[in-house]
Amino acid sequence: MQEATFLILTALADGSQHGYGIITEVAQISAGRVRLRAGTLYTALDRLRADGLVAVDGEEVVEGRLRRYYRLTPEGTAVLAAEAARLQANAAAALARLRLGLAGGLA
Amino acid sequence: MSEQVQAGTARLERGYRRVLACYPRSFRAENADEVLAVLLAAAAAGQARVGWAEGWDLVRGGVRMRLWPAASRPRAVRAAVTLMLAGAAAELAALITVVVTSGAVRAAVAAQHPATGNGVLVHQVAVLAGAPLAIGMWLWLAWANGQGEDWARMISAACFCLLTLSGLGALSQHAATYAPASMIAAATVWAIGLSSVVLIFTPAAGRYYRPQLAQQ
């Protein structure tokens, strides 16, 4: 899973968001490192909707502009949970080996 | 809002709409207003022109959506379509290989079989004549499979059988000895064909080709 996709799913994990909301959430989650652009966001959303991981959760018009809200589907939640567990296991393995390497280097 | 800022926003909006034209019509009909709202919300204060980076990002997204539309197309079918496009590219590479190595192959065959010639040459001529047809076939099947046409699936399977037979025929003529480069190219094309045919006959893809069966 690409990082942008992972972060979009993460932004939707605790409730629905509209397009610009996802961009600001992703910036916040990644501590400002990932600034999603609209083209990237909507290409990813198009794909995620086709795969049934994300669904539309209503629309509203704010100041004459259309806002569409997106939410995770149960399948999307499961895929995100599996991917997060995989990343966590990888990160834990990396940190454990780094600690070993550091201890070995000092000895 | 001052008049100058309003004029700038209107100009920016027109710019974004022009760039959004590279997205498929169906996507624009559903999402153009929404994407526009996001673009304007993300724009810098006083911005009146579409920036290079964001323009490029939008164009890339539009081209990607046109070439590999995701709408209700399962992952297996998308992968198969991409492979078929790769098949067309590999076929082109095979054609170039045959053209470039034809002199060496002819010399190798002439040295071994000075009087009779060999089936390898027949295979080479077949590639030369057939490659443009094969490239067209790959592109057409990529398109038709992407559209979920069930007949395209059957024609793909039939083409793969023909590809296998012609490859075996060339091998039986010792093509591997005389024309190793074009046999490697043919093997690549064959592997691409095999993977794409396997993908379009997976159960997930089957539901896309035969939605009436999936609903029962």
Side-chain angles (χ1 to χ4, degrees):
Chain A
M1 186 185 288
Q2 289 189 350
E3 191 184 20
T5 309
F6 179 78
L7 290 172
I8 291 169
L9 293 178
T10 304
L12 297 174
D14 60 353
S16 66
Q17 291 282 353
H18 61 276
Y20 191 63
I22 296 176
I23 293 179
T24 52
E25 286 287 309
V26 164
Q28 204 182 343
I29 294 164
S30 67
R33 194 171 48 81
V34 177
R35 295 284 306 168
L36 275 186
R37 292 183 184 280
T40 308
L41 171 67
Y42 280 94
T43 315
L45 280 178
D46 189 49
R47 210 132 282 188
L48 289 168
R49 282 171 69 182
D51 290 339
L53 305 186
V54 164
V56 171
D57 195 36
E59 301 173 354
E60 63 176 354
V61 175
V62 177
E63 292 171 7
R65 301 271 178 209
L66 177 70
R67 264 186 194 177
R68 191 170 275 136
Y69 287 82
Y70 296 92
R71 64 173 168 80
L72 283 189
T73 62
E75 200 190 341
T77 307
V79 166
L80 177 63
E83 182 68 6
R86 192 182 70 83
L87 291 175
Q88 190 173 38
N90 282 354
L95 290 172
R97 283 180 179 238
L98 280 172
R99 269 195 300 275
L100 276 179
L102 207 56
L106 289 175
Chain B
M1 203 188 279
S2 80
E3 269 177 34
Q4 205 183 347
V5 171
Q6 264 179 353
T9 308
R11 190 170 157 205
L12 182 62
E13 179 168 342
R14 282 197 302 277
Y16 282 140
R17 282 205 186 273
R18 270 197 296 274
V19 182
L20 284 174
C22 54
Y23 284 78
R25 186 185 299 269
S26 58
F27 176 84
R28 269 181 293 159
E30 200 196 339
N31 298 288
D33 289 338
E34 179 199 357
V35 178
L36 194 66
V38 170
L39 285 166
L40 291 173
Q47 183 183 342
R49 280 165 187 275
V50 178
W52 285 108
E54 60 179 350
W56 165 243
D57 180 65
L58 285 169
V59 169
R60 202 175 48 173
V63 169
R64 195 182 268 197
M65 255 186 225
R66 278 185 190 271
L67 285 181
W68 295 279
S72 74
R73 209 181 265 193
R75 203 167 303 169
V77 176
R78 289 205 305 264
V81 169
T82 305
L83 277 171
M84 288 177 190
L85 294 176
E91 202 76 54
L92 184 66
L95 175 64
I96 293 169
T97 308
V98 168
V99 170
V100 170
T101 61
S102 67
V105 172
R106 214 163 292 162
V109 173
Q112 296 290 321
H113 305 269
T116 57
N118 183 277
V120 172
L121 294 183
V122 177
H123 172 71
Q124 297 241 305
V125 172
V127 170
L128 281 179
L133 186 73
I135 293 170
M137 201 71 185
W138 279 106
L139 294 177
W140 178 59
L141 285 174
W143 175 80
N145 276 290
Q147 300 295 312
E149 302 287 0
D150 207 24
W151 52 259
R153 209 156 59 131
M154 304 310 156
I155 293 179
S156 303
C159 285
F160 175 68
C161 290
L162 281 178
L163 193 64
T164 308
L165 288 177
S166 97
L168 289 176
L171 276 179
S172 73
Q173 300 285 338
H174 309 290
T177 320
Y178 303 120
S182 54
M183 283 319 285
I184 290 171
T188 309
V189 170
W190 183 82
I192 291 171
L194 175 67
S195 325
S196 58
V197 166
V198 167
L199 280 168
I200 55 178
F201 281 95
T202 54
R207 285 193 288 279
Y208 177 66
Y209 287 95
R210 294 182 174 174
Q212 69 279 15
L213 288 184
Q215 277 160 16
Q216 281 166 15

